[in-house]
Amino acid sequence: MHAVKNHSRNDNIGYLIGVVGVSLVLAWIGIYKFTPTEALLIKPLVENHFAMGWLYNFISVQAVSNIIGATEIVVAIGLLVGIKNTKIAYLSGIAAAIIFVTTLSFLLTTPNTWKISDGVPVTNFFLVKDILFLAISVSVIERNKPIS
């Protein structure tokens, strides 16, 4: 069996569905970050994270959430624009990967994230979805990496 080489970067339907899907979720969640409800929901995640917890010493819970939300929205737009612009896609892919690695790291930095249920370790599964989003982000980076 031979692999078929696809010479166009953006005509793969699975790739496009992945990019649009990640963009939709990032924008949606980013918009939600501007609400007081989401700002309070992410507080335990952010305050226990070594790279972000310090933010609460300088700005409010809502301001931190707003910054995170704005970042997610900008990256979502960048991924969509990147469908036609490889440089923007590459940079947005890197930014998205950073977002999803950070989100996945909450599984390690947030107390009581893991529980045992009927002998099986379980977690807040909303974080686990980011494994797939990270894979799509890496795909965006690989497809749009500048040629040296």
Side-chain angles (χ1 to χ4, degrees):
M1 194 154 105
H2 298 284
V4 177
K5 195 94 163 144
N6 188 346
H7 296 288
S8 176
R9 290 175 170 228
N10 296 317
D11 64 354
N12 181 303
I13 191 74
Y15 174 79
L16 292 173
I17 291 170
V19 170
V20 171
V22 167
S23 299
L24 175 64
V25 171
L26 269 176
W28 194 351
I29 292 171
I31 291 166
Y32 191 47
K33 293 282 190 308
F34 286 87
T35 68
T37 301
E38 179 67 355
L40 290 175
L41 286 172
I42 67 168
K43 186 176 184 244
L45 302 172
V46 174
E47 73 185 350
N48 287 294
H49 197 275
F50 63 91
M52 295 191 298
W54 62 271
L55 290 168
Y56 291 132
N57 294 330
F58 301 100
I59 54 179
S60 70
V61 170
Q62 188 62 60
V64 170
S65 189
N66 292 352
I67 291 167
I68 294 169
T71 303
E72 291 169 340
I73 293 167
V74 168
V75 172
I77 292 168
L79 288 169
L80 292 174
V81 171
I83 292 171
K84 294 293 183 187
N85 183 311
T86 58
K87 184 174 184 173
I88 292 174
Y90 179 70
L91 296 173
S92 298
I94 291 170
I98 291 168
I99 287 170
F100 299 127
V101 165
T102 302
T103 303
L104 287 167
S105 72
F106 292 147
L107 292 169
L108 303 174
T109 62
T110 306
N112 303 315
T113 302
W114 291 91
K115 296 173 179 40
I116 302 296
S117 176
D118 296 325
V120 178
V122 294
T123 187
N124 295 325
F125 289 107
F126 79 93
L127 295 172
V128 177
K129 72 175 176 357
D130 287 356
I131 295 169
L132 299 174
F133 291 162
L134 177 59
I136 293 166
S137 302
V138 170
S139 180
V140 170
I141 294 166
E142 290 172 340
R143 281 177 170 252
N144 295 285
K145 187 174 182 181
I147 300 170
S148 303

PDB file of all heavy atoms in Angstrom, residues 12-50:
ATOM      1  N   ASN A  12      -7.211  19.316   2.466  1.00  0.00           N
ATOM      2  CA  ASN A  12      -7.531  18.109   3.207  1.00  0.00           C
ATOM      3  C   ASN A  12      -8.725  18.390   4.111  1.00  0.00           C
ATOM      4  O   ASN A  12      -8.646  19.209   5.027  1.00  0.00           O
ATOM      5  CB  ASN A  12      -6.306  17.691   4.029  1.00  0.00           C
ATOM      6  CG  ASN A  12      -6.539  16.438   4.812  1.00  0.00           C
ATOM      7  OD1 ASN A  12      -7.458  16.367   5.618  1.00  0.00           O
ATOM      8  ND2 ASN A  12      -5.692  15.464   4.591  1.00  0.00           N
ATOM      9  N   ILE A  13      -9.837  17.723   3.857  1.00  0.00           N
ATOM     10  CA  ILE A  13     -11.072  18.001   4.576  1.00  0.00           C
ATOM     11  C   ILE A  13     -10.927  17.757   6.083  1.00  0.00           C
ATOM     12  O   ILE A  13     -11.419  18.536   6.898  1.00  0.00           O
ATOM     13  CB  ILE A  13     -12.275  17.236   3.979  1.00  0.00           C
ATOM     14  CG1 ILE A  13     -13.599  17.754   4.571  1.00  0.00           C
ATOM     15  CG2 ILE A  13     -12.167  15.748   4.192  1.00  0.00           C
ATOM     16  CD1 ILE A  13     -14.012  19.070   4.053  1.00  0.00           C
ATOM     17  N   GLY A  14     -10.227  16.710   6.467  1.00  0.00           N
ATOM     18  CA  GLY A  14     -10.017  16.432   7.890  1.00  0.00           C
ATOM     19  C   GLY A  14      -9.225  17.532   8.567  1.00  0.00           C
ATOM     20  O   GLY A  14      -9.543  17.939   9.697  1.00  0.00           O
ATOM     21  N   TYR A  15      -8.209  18.020   7.881  1.00  0.00           N
ATOM     22  CA  TYR A  15      -7.406  19.117   8.413  1.00  0.00           C
ATOM     23  C   TYR A  15      -8.270  20.363   8.605  1.00  0.00           C
ATOM     24  O   TYR A  15      -8.241  21.001   9.655  1.00  0.00           O
ATOM     25  CB  TYR A  15      -6.243  19.408   7.456  1.00  0.00           C
ATOM     26  CG  TYR A  15      -5.419  20.615   7.825  1.00  0.00           C
ATOM     27  CD1 TYR A  15      -4.467  20.555   8.826  1.00  0.00           C
ATOM     28  CD2 TYR A  15      -5.599  21.832   7.153  1.00  0.00           C
ATOM     29  CE1 TYR A  15      -3.702  21.666   9.162  1.00  0.00           C
ATOM     30  CE2 TYR A  15      -4.838  22.941   7.483  1.00  0.00           C
ATOM     31  CZ  TYR A  15      -3.901  22.848   8.481  1.00  0.00           C
ATOM     32  OH  TYR A  15      -3.157  23.949   8.811  1.00  0.00           O
ATOM     33  N   LEU A  16      -9.049  20.694   7.597  1.00  0.00           N
ATOM     34  CA  LEU A  16      -9.903  21.880   7.677  1.00  0.00           C
ATOM     35  C   LEU A  16     -10.958  21.761   8.779  1.00  0.00           C
ATOM     36  O   LEU A  16     -11.206  22.722   9.511  1.00  0.00           O
ATOM     37  CB  LEU A  16     -10.577  22.148   6.330  1.00  0.00           C
ATOM     38  CG  LEU A  16      -9.633  22.595   5.213  1.00  0.00           C
ATOM     39  CD1 LEU A  16     -10.381  22.675   3.884  1.00  0.00           C
ATOM     40  CD2 LEU A  16      -8.978  23.914   5.548  1.00  0.00           C
ATOM     41  N   ILE A  17     -11.560  20.583   8.904  1.00  0.00           N
ATOM     42  CA  ILE A  17     -12.536  20.375   9.983  1.00  0.00           C
ATOM     43  C   ILE A  17     -11.852  20.548  11.341  1.00  0.00           C
ATOM     44  O   ILE A  17     -12.399  21.175  12.257  1.00  0.00           O
ATOM     45  CB  ILE A  17     -13.204  18.986   9.871  1.00  0.00           C
ATOM     46  CG1 ILE A  17     -14.125  18.936   8.648  1.00  0.00           C
ATOM     47  CG2 ILE A  17     -13.972  18.641  11.146  1.00  0.00           C
ATOM     48  CD1 ILE A  17     -14.631  17.546   8.311  1.00  0.00           C
ATOM     49  N   GLY A  18     -10.651  20.007  11.474  1.00  0.00           N
ATOM     50  CA  GLY A  18      -9.910  20.142  12.726  1.00  0.00           C
ATOM     51  C   GLY A  18      -9.589  21.589  13.054  1.00  0.00           C
ATOM     52  O   GLY A  18      -9.805  22.043  14.187  1.00  0.00           O
ATOM     53  N   VAL A  19      -9.103  22.341  12.070  1.00  0.00           N
ATOM     54  CA  VAL A  19      -8.737  23.735  12.298  1.00  0.00           C
ATOM     55  C   VAL A  19      -9.975  24.574  12.629  1.00  0.00           C
ATOM     56  O   VAL A  19      -9.974  25.359  13.581  1.00  0.00           O
ATOM     57  CB  VAL A  19      -7.982  24.325  11.085  1.00  0.00           C
ATOM     58  CG1 VAL A  19      -7.817  25.832  11.216  1.00  0.00           C
ATOM     59  CG2 VAL A  19      -6.622  23.654  10.925  1.00  0.00           C
ATOM     60  N   VAL A  20     -11.041  24.392  11.862  1.00  0.00           N
ATOM     61  CA  VAL A  20     -12.268  25.146  12.127  1.00  0.00           C
ATOM     62  C   VAL A  20     -12.850  24.751  13.483  1.00  0.00           C
ATOM     63  O   VAL A  20     -13.298  25.609  14.251  1.00  0.00           O
ATOM     64  CB  VAL A  20     -13.288  24.954  10.986  1.00  0.00           C
ATOM     65  CG1 VAL A  20     -14.643  25.542  11.351  1.00  0.00           C
ATOM     66  CG2 VAL A  20     -12.763  25.587   9.696  1.00  0.00           C
ATOM     67  N   GLY A  21     -12.825  23.459  13.801  1.00  0.00           N
ATOM     68  CA  GLY A  21     -13.337  22.996  15.090  1.00  0.00           C
ATOM     69  C   GLY A  21     -12.568  23.563  16.259  1.00  0.00           C
ATOM     70  O   GLY A  21     -13.159  24.049  17.232  1.00  0.00           O
ATOM     71  N   VAL A  22     -11.249  23.532  16.191  1.00  0.00           N
ATOM     72  CA  VAL A  22     -10.425  24.096  17.260  1.00  0.00           C
ATOM     73  C   VAL A  22     -10.677  25.597  17.366  1.00  0.00           C
ATOM     74  O   VAL A  22     -10.807  26.140  18.467  1.00  0.00           O
ATOM     75  CB  VAL A  22      -8.928  23.789  17.036  1.00  0.00           C
ATOM     76  CG1 VAL A  22      -8.052  24.621  17.960  1.00  0.00           C
ATOM     77  CG2 VAL A  22      -8.647  22.316  17.255  1.00  0.00           C
ATOM     78  N   SER A  23     -10.771  26.269  16.232  1.00  0.00           N
ATOM     79  CA  SER A  23     -11.026  27.712  16.236  1.00  0.00           C
ATOM     80  C   SER A  23     -12.363  28.040  16.874  1.00  0.00           C
ATOM     81  O   SER A  23     -12.471  28.977  17.681  1.00  0.00           O
ATOM     82  CB  SER A  23     -10.991  28.271  14.805  1.00  0.00           C
ATOM     83  OG  SER A  23      -9.734  28.061  14.234  1.00  0.00           O
ATOM     84  N   LEU A  24     -13.378  27.268  16.531  1.00  0.00           N
ATOM     85  CA  LEU A  24     -14.710  27.488  17.096  1.00  0.00           C
ATOM     86  C   LEU A  24     -14.690  27.326  18.612  1.00  0.00           C
ATOM     87  O   LEU A  24     -15.197  28.180  19.353  1.00  0.00           O
ATOM     88  CB  LEU A  24     -15.721  26.524  16.472  1.00  0.00           C
ATOM     89  CG  LEU A  24     -17.135  26.558  17.048  1.00  0.00           C
ATOM     90  CD1 LEU A  24     -17.790  27.899  16.796  1.00  0.00           C
ATOM     91  CD2 LEU A  24     -17.971  25.437  16.446  1.00  0.00           C
ATOM     92  N   VAL A  25     -14.078  26.241  19.079  1.00  0.00           N
ATOM     93  CA  VAL A  25     -14.030  25.986  20.520  1.00  0.00           C
ATOM     94  C   VAL A  25     -13.202  27.059  21.232  1.00  0.00           C
ATOM     95  O   VAL A  25     -13.606  27.572  22.281  1.00  0.00           O
ATOM     96  CB  VAL A  25     -13.506  24.566  20.818  1.00  0.00           C
ATOM     97  CG1 VAL A  25     -13.254  24.364  22.306  1.00  0.00           C
ATOM     98  CG2 VAL A  25     -14.480  23.525  20.299  1.00  0.00           C
ATOM     99  N   LEU A  26     -12.049  27.436  20.666  1.00  0.00           N
ATOM    100  CA  LEU A  26     -11.224  28.474  21.293  1.00  0.00           C
ATOM    101  C   LEU A  26     -11.980  29.798  21.379  1.00  0.00           C
ATOM    102  O   LEU A  26     -11.952  30.470  22.415  1.00  0.00           O
ATOM    103  CB  LEU A  26      -9.935  28.687  20.494  1.00  0.00           C
ATOM    104  CG  LEU A  26      -8.731  27.864  20.878  1.00  0.00           C
ATOM    105  CD1 LEU A  26      -7.574  28.140  19.923  1.00  0.00           C
ATOM    106  CD2 LEU A  26      -8.300  28.118  22.304  1.00  0.00           C
ATOM    107  N   ALA A  27     -12.654  30.179  20.300  1.00  0.00           N
ATOM    108  CA  ALA A  27     -13.402  31.440  20.308  1.00  0.00           C
ATOM    109  C   ALA A  27     -14.550  31.383  21.312  1.00  0.00           C
ATOM    110  O   ALA A  27     -14.762  32.330  22.080  1.00  0.00           O
ATOM    111  CB  ALA A  27     -13.925  31.744  18.905  1.00  0.00           C
ATOM    112  N   TRP A  28     -15.265  30.290  21.320  1.00  0.00           N
ATOM    113  CA  TRP A  28     -16.415  30.129  22.208  1.00  0.00           C
ATOM    114  C   TRP A  28     -15.987  30.195  23.682  1.00  0.00           C
ATOM    115  O   TRP A  28     -16.545  30.930  24.482  1.00  0.00           O
ATOM    116  CB  TRP A  28     -17.081  28.803  21.897  1.00  0.00           C
ATOM    117  CG  TRP A  28     -18.453  28.573  22.451  1.00  0.00           C
ATOM    118  CD1 TRP A  28     -19.154  29.322  23.348  1.00  0.00           C
ATOM    119  CD2 TRP A  28     -19.291  27.478  22.116  1.00  0.00           C
ATOM    120  NE1 TRP A  28     -20.380  28.754  23.585  1.00  0.00           N
ATOM    121  CE2 TRP A  28     -20.485  27.609  22.838  1.00  0.00           C
ATOM    122  CE3 TRP A  28     -19.140  26.379  21.270  1.00  0.00           C
ATOM    123  CZ2 TRP A  28     -21.529  26.698  22.751  1.00  0.00           C
ATOM    124  CZ3 TRP A  28     -20.188  25.473  21.174  1.00  0.00           C
ATOM    125  CH2 TRP A  28     -21.364  25.638  21.906  1.00  0.00           C
ATOM    126  N   ILE A  29     -14.951  29.424  24.005  1.00  0.00           N
ATOM    127  CA  ILE A  29     -14.445  29.417  25.374  1.00  0.00           C
ATOM    128  C   ILE A  29     -13.813  30.774  25.704  1.00  0.00           C
ATOM    129  O   ILE A  29     -13.937  31.275  26.817  1.00  0.00           O
ATOM    130  CB  ILE A  29     -13.455  28.251  25.585  1.00  0.00           C
ATOM    131  CG1 ILE A  29     -14.211  26.922  25.509  1.00  0.00           C
ATOM    132  CG2 ILE A  29     -12.718  28.377  26.902  1.00  0.00           C
ATOM    133  CD1 ILE A  29     -13.320  25.697  25.475  1.00  0.00           C
ATOM    134  N   GLY A  30     -13.149  31.370  24.720  1.00  0.00           N
ATOM    135  CA  GLY A  30     -12.558  32.688  24.927  1.00  0.00           C
ATOM    136  C   GLY A  30     -13.602  33.739  25.249  1.00  0.00           C
ATOM    137  O   GLY A  30     -13.404  34.575  26.148  1.00  0.00           O
ATOM    138  N   ILE A  31     -14.715  33.711  24.546  1.00  0.00           N
ATOM    139  CA  ILE A  31     -15.811  34.645  24.825  1.00  0.00           C
ATOM    140  C   ILE A  31     -16.350  34.408  26.234  1.00  0.00           C
ATOM    141  O   ILE A  31     -16.614  35.356  26.987  1.00  0.00           O
ATOM    142  CB  ILE A  31     -16.918  34.516  23.761  1.00  0.00           C
ATOM    143  CG1 ILE A  31     -16.405  35.044  22.416  1.00  0.00           C
ATOM    144  CG2 ILE A  31     -18.190  35.242  24.186  1.00  0.00           C
ATOM    145  CD1 ILE A  31     -17.277  34.675  21.230  1.00  0.00           C
ATOM    146  N   TYR A  32     -16.494  33.143  26.601  1.00  0.00           N
ATOM    147  CA  TYR A  32     -17.027  32.801  27.922  1.00  0.00           C
ATOM    148  C   TYR A  32     -16.117  33.294  29.043  1.00  0.00           C
ATOM    149  O   TYR A  32     -16.569  33.593  30.149  1.00  0.00           O
ATOM    150  CB  TYR A  32     -17.262  31.294  28.013  1.00  0.00           C
ATOM    151  CG  TYR A  32     -18.060  30.856  29.223  1.00  0.00           C
ATOM    152  CD1 TYR A  32     -19.232  31.497  29.602  1.00  0.00           C
ATOM    153  CD2 TYR A  32     -17.638  29.784  29.990  1.00  0.00           C
ATOM    154  CE1 TYR A  32     -19.968  31.084  30.704  1.00  0.00           C
ATOM    155  CE2 TYR A  32     -18.365  29.353  31.102  1.00  0.00           C
ATOM    156  CZ  TYR A  32     -19.523  30.012  31.448  1.00  0.00           C
ATOM    157  OH  TYR A  32     -20.244  29.603  32.547  1.00  0.00           O
ATOM    158  N   LYS A  33     -14.815  33.410  28.764  1.00  0.00           N
ATOM    159  CA  LYS A  33     -13.870  33.880  29.782  1.00  0.00           C
ATOM    160  C   LYS A  33     -14.200  35.307  30.245  1.00  0.00           C
ATOM    161  O   LYS A  33     -13.773  35.725  31.306  1.00  0.00           O
ATOM    162  CB  LYS A  33     -12.432  33.851  29.249  1.00  0.00           C
ATOM    163  CG  LYS A  33     -11.861  32.476  28.985  1.00  0.00           C
ATOM    164  CD  LYS A  33     -11.426  31.796  30.227  1.00  0.00           C
ATOM    165  CE  LYS A  33     -10.635  30.533  30.000  1.00  0.00           C
ATOM    166  NZ  LYS A  33     -11.188  29.520  29.136  1.00  0.00           N
ATOM    167  N   PHE A  34     -14.964  36.055  29.469  1.00  0.00           N
ATOM    168  CA  PHE A  34     -15.314  37.418  29.834  1.00  0.00           C
ATOM    169  C   PHE A  34     -16.483  37.475  30.819  1.00  0.00           C
ATOM    170  O   PHE A  34     -16.900  38.553  31.215  1.00  0.00           O
ATOM    171  CB  PHE A  34     -15.611  38.248  28.578  1.00  0.00           C
ATOM    172  CG  PHE A  34     -14.363  38.604  27.811  1.00  0.00           C
ATOM    173  CD1 PHE A  34     -13.848  37.740  26.866  1.00  0.00           C
ATOM    174  CD2 PHE A  34     -13.702  39.791  28.064  1.00  0.00           C
ATOM    175  CE1 PHE A  34     -12.685  38.054  26.168  1.00  0.00           C
ATOM    176  CE2 PHE A  34     -12.545  40.121  27.380  1.00  0.00           C
ATOM    177  CZ  PHE A  34     -12.038  39.252  26.427  1.00  0.00           C
ATOM    178  N   THR A  35     -16.994  36.314  31.212  1.00  0.00           N
ATOM    179  CA  THR A  35     -18.092  36.284  32.178  1.00  0.00           C
ATOM    180  C   THR A  35     -17.539  36.054  33.586  1.00  0.00           C
ATOM    181  O   THR A  35     -16.509  35.385  33.765  1.00  0.00           O
ATOM    182  CB  THR A  35     -19.107  35.171  31.854  1.00  0.00           C
ATOM    183  OG1 THR A  35     -18.491  33.892  32.074  1.00  0.00           O
ATOM    184  CG2 THR A  35     -19.605  35.271  30.412  1.00  0.00           C
ATOM    185  N   PRO A  36     -18.228  36.570  34.601  1.00  0.00           N
ATOM    186  CA  PRO A  36     -17.767  36.331  35.977  1.00  0.00           C
ATOM    187  C   PRO A  36     -17.826  34.857  36.366  1.00  0.00           C
ATOM    188  O   PRO A  36     -17.006  34.391  37.160  1.00  0.00           O
ATOM    189  CB  PRO A  36     -18.713  37.171  36.841  1.00  0.00           C
ATOM    190  CG  PRO A  36     -19.772  37.694  35.960  1.00  0.00           C
ATOM    191  CD  PRO A  36     -19.381  37.465  34.539  1.00  0.00           C
ATOM    192  N   THR A  37     -18.770  34.124  35.792  1.00  0.00           N
ATOM    193  CA  THR A  37     -18.891  32.697  36.096  1.00  0.00           C
ATOM    194  C   THR A  37     -17.629  31.944  35.682  1.00  0.00           C
ATOM    195  O   THR A  37     -17.052  31.196  36.467  1.00  0.00           O
ATOM    196  CB  THR A  37     -20.124  32.095  35.391  1.00  0.00           C
ATOM    197  OG1 THR A  37     -21.279  32.802  35.829  1.00  0.00           O
ATOM    198  CG2 THR A  37     -20.265  30.619  35.686  1.00  0.00           C
ATOM    199  N   GLU A  38     -17.182  32.153  34.454  1.00  0.00           N
ATOM    200  CA  GLU A  38     -15.987  31.447  33.970  1.00  0.00           C
ATOM    201  C   GLU A  38     -14.734  31.938  34.676  1.00  0.00           C
ATOM    202  O   GLU A  38     -13.833  31.143  34.967  1.00  0.00           O
ATOM    203  CB  GLU A  38     -15.853  31.592  32.452  1.00  0.00           C
ATOM    204  CG  GLU A  38     -14.632  30.926  31.863  1.00  0.00           C
ATOM    205  CD  GLU A  38     -14.607  29.401  31.932  1.00  0.00           C
ATOM    206  OE1 GLU A  38     -15.513  28.784  32.537  1.00  0.00           O
ATOM    207  OE2 GLU A  38     -13.661  28.804  31.373  1.00  0.00           O
ATOM    208  N   ALA A  39     -14.672  33.227  34.961  1.00  0.00           N
ATOM    209  CA  ALA A  39     -13.504  33.759  35.681  1.00  0.00           C
ATOM    210  C   ALA A  39     -13.330  33.030  37.008  1.00  0.00           C
ATOM    211  O   ALA A  39     -12.205  32.661  37.382  1.00  0.00           O
ATOM    212  CB  ALA A  39     -13.658  35.258  35.906  1.00  0.00           C
ATOM    213  N   LEU A  40     -14.425  32.787  37.703  1.00  0.00           N
ATOM    214  CA  LEU A  40     -14.347  32.061  38.980  1.00  0.00           C
ATOM    215  C   LEU A  40     -14.085  30.573  38.776  1.00  0.00           C
ATOM    216  O   LEU A  40     -13.404  29.950  39.597  1.00  0.00           O
ATOM    217  CB  LEU A  40     -15.633  32.276  39.785  1.00  0.00           C
ATOM    218  CG  LEU A  40     -15.818  33.688  40.346  1.00  0.00           C
ATOM    219  CD1 LEU A  40     -17.184  33.830  41.013  1.00  0.00           C
ATOM    220  CD2 LEU A  40     -14.697  34.049  41.314  1.00  0.00           C
ATOM    221  N   LEU A  41     -14.614  30.013  37.688  1.00  0.00           N
ATOM    222  CA  LEU A  41     -14.388  28.586  37.430  1.00  0.00           C
ATOM    223  C   LEU A  41     -12.926  28.269  37.129  1.00  0.00           C
ATOM    224  O   LEU A  41     -12.430  27.206  37.497  1.00  0.00           O
ATOM    225  CB  LEU A  41     -15.279  28.098  36.282  1.00  0.00           C
ATOM    226  CG  LEU A  41     -16.759  27.926  36.602  1.00  0.00           C
ATOM    227  CD1 LEU A  41     -17.563  27.640  35.329  1.00  0.00           C
ATOM    228  CD2 LEU A  41     -16.957  26.804  37.615  1.00  0.00           C
ATOM    229  N   ILE A  42     -12.237  29.180  36.435  1.00  0.00           N
ATOM    230  CA  ILE A  42     -10.838  28.896  36.097  1.00  0.00           C
ATOM    231  C   ILE A  42      -9.870  29.321  37.204  1.00  0.00           C
ATOM    232  O   ILE A  42      -8.697  28.965  37.158  1.00  0.00           O
ATOM    233  CB  ILE A  42     -10.417  29.528  34.757  1.00  0.00           C
ATOM    234  CG1 ILE A  42     -10.393  31.051  34.827  1.00  0.00           C
ATOM    235  CG2 ILE A  42     -11.283  29.000  33.616  1.00  0.00           C
ATOM    236  CD1 ILE A  42      -9.707  31.712  33.641  1.00  0.00           C
ATOM    237  N   LYS A  43     -10.353  30.051  38.187  1.00  0.00           N
ATOM    238  CA  LYS A  43      -9.473  30.552  39.257  1.00  0.00           C
ATOM    239  C   LYS A  43      -8.656  29.443  39.923  1.00  0.00           C
ATOM    240  O   LYS A  43      -7.437  29.584  40.081  1.00  0.00           O
ATOM    241  CB  LYS A  43     -10.279  31.331  40.297  1.00  0.00           C
ATOM    242  CG  LYS A  43      -9.398  31.989  41.332  1.00  0.00           C
ATOM    243  CD  LYS A  43     -10.192  32.840  42.291  1.00  0.00           C
ATOM    244  CE  LYS A  43      -9.230  33.537  43.241  1.00  0.00           C
ATOM    245  NZ  LYS A  43      -9.398  33.137  44.607  1.00  0.00           N
ATOM    246  N   PRO A  44      -9.253  28.307  40.322  1.00  0.00           N
ATOM    247  CA  PRO A  44      -8.427  27.265  40.957  1.00  0.00           C
ATOM    248  C   PRO A  44      -7.357  26.701  40.021  1.00  0.00           C
ATOM    249  O   PRO A  44      -6.276  26.316  40.466  1.00  0.00           O
ATOM    250  CB  PRO A  44      -9.428  26.164  41.325  1.00  0.00           C
ATOM    251  CG  PRO A  44     -10.776  26.778  41.210  1.00  0.00           C
ATOM    252  CD  PRO A  44     -10.661  27.953  40.297  1.00  0.00           C
ATOM    253  N   LEU A  45      -7.649  26.675  38.729  1.00  0.00           N
ATOM    254  CA  LEU A  45      -6.665  26.177  37.771  1.00  0.00           C
ATOM    255  C   LEU A  45      -5.501  27.151  37.657  1.00  0.00           C
ATOM    256  O   LEU A  45      -4.330  26.752  37.719  1.00  0.00           O
ATOM    257  CB  LEU A  45      -7.322  25.979  36.400  1.00  0.00           C
ATOM    258  CG  LEU A  45      -8.526  25.040  36.339  1.00  0.00           C
ATOM    259  CD1 LEU A  45      -9.189  25.103  34.981  1.00  0.00           C
ATOM    260  CD2 LEU A  45      -8.117  23.618  36.672  1.00  0.00           C
ATOM    261  N   VAL A  46      -5.836  28.422  37.491  1.00  0.00           N
ATOM    262  CA  VAL A  46      -4.809  29.446  37.284  1.00  0.00           C
ATOM    263  C   VAL A  46      -3.996  29.690  38.550  1.00  0.00           C
ATOM    264  O   VAL A  46      -2.766  29.759  38.501  1.00  0.00           O
ATOM    265  CB  VAL A  46      -5.457  30.753  36.775  1.00  0.00           C
ATOM    266  CG1 VAL A  46      -4.432  31.878  36.690  1.00  0.00           C
ATOM    267  CG2 VAL A  46      -6.120  30.533  35.413  1.00  0.00           C
ATOM    268  N   GLU A  47      -4.660  29.805  39.698  1.00  0.00           N
ATOM    269  CA  GLU A  47      -3.932  30.168  40.917  1.00  0.00           C
ATOM    270  C   GLU A  47      -2.961  29.092  41.380  1.00  0.00           C
ATOM    271  O   GLU A  47      -2.003  29.393  42.091  1.00  0.00           O
ATOM    272  CB  GLU A  47      -4.901  30.552  42.040  1.00  0.00           C
ATOM    273  CG  GLU A  47      -5.653  29.420  42.666  1.00  0.00           C
ATOM    274  CD  GLU A  47      -6.691  29.899  43.684  1.00  0.00           C
ATOM    275  OE1 GLU A  47      -6.703  31.099  44.033  1.00  0.00           O
ATOM    276  OE2 GLU A  47      -7.493  29.066  44.116  1.00  0.00           O
ATOM    277  N   ASN A  48      -3.170  27.849  40.969  1.00  0.00           N
ATOM    278  CA  ASN A  48      -2.263  26.763  41.354  1.00  0.00           C
ATOM    279  C   ASN A  48      -1.211  26.461  40.302  1.00  0.00           C
ATOM    280  O   ASN A  48      -0.409  25.544  40.474  1.00  0.00           O
ATOM    281  CB  ASN A  48      -3.074  25.496  41.651  1.00  0.00           C
ATOM    282  CG  ASN A  48      -3.821  25.614  42.951  1.00  0.00           C
ATOM    283  OD1 ASN A  48      -3.223  25.679  44.002  1.00  0.00           O
ATOM    284  ND2 ASN A  48      -5.135  25.695  42.856  1.00  0.00           N
ATOM    285  N   HIS A  49      -1.208  27.220  39.219  1.00  0.00           N
ATOM    286  CA  HIS A  49      -0.259  26.965  38.136  1.00  0.00           C
ATOM    287  C   HIS A  49       0.992  27.813  38.339  1.00  0.00           C
ATOM    288  O   HIS A  49       0.907  29.024  38.546  1.00  0.00           O
ATOM    289  CB  HIS A  49      -0.903  27.276  36.788  1.00  0.00           C
ATOM    290  CG  HIS A  49      -0.167  26.688  35.649  1.00  0.00           C
ATOM    291  ND1 HIS A  49       0.903  27.312  35.068  1.00  0.00           N
ATOM    292  CD2 HIS A  49      -0.328  25.504  35.006  1.00  0.00           C
ATOM    293  CE1 HIS A  49       1.368  26.552  34.086  1.00  0.00           C
ATOM    294  NE2 HIS A  49       0.645  25.447  34.035  1.00  0.00           N
ATOM    295  N   PHE A  50       2.145  27.170  38.263  1.00  0.00           N
ATOM    296  CA  PHE A  50       3.423  27.852  38.515  1.00  0.00           C
ATOM    297  C   PHE A  50       3.674  29.018  37.566  1.00  0.00           C
ATOM    298  O   PHE A  50       4.332  29.991  37.931  1.00  0.00           O
ATOM    299  CB  PHE A  50       4.592  26.851  38.437  1.00  0.00           C
ATOM    300  CG  PHE A  50       4.754  26.223  37.084  1.00  0.00           C
ATOM    301  CD1 PHE A  50       5.582  26.792  36.145  1.00  0.00           C
ATOM    302  CD2 PHE A  50       4.058  25.062  36.751  1.00  0.00           C
ATOM    303  CE1 PHE A  50       5.730  26.224  34.884  1.00  0.00           C
ATOM    304  CE2 PHE A  50       4.196  24.481  35.507  1.00  0.00           C
ATOM    305  CZ  PHE A  50       5.026  25.070  34.568  1.00  0.00           C
TER     306      PHE A  50
END
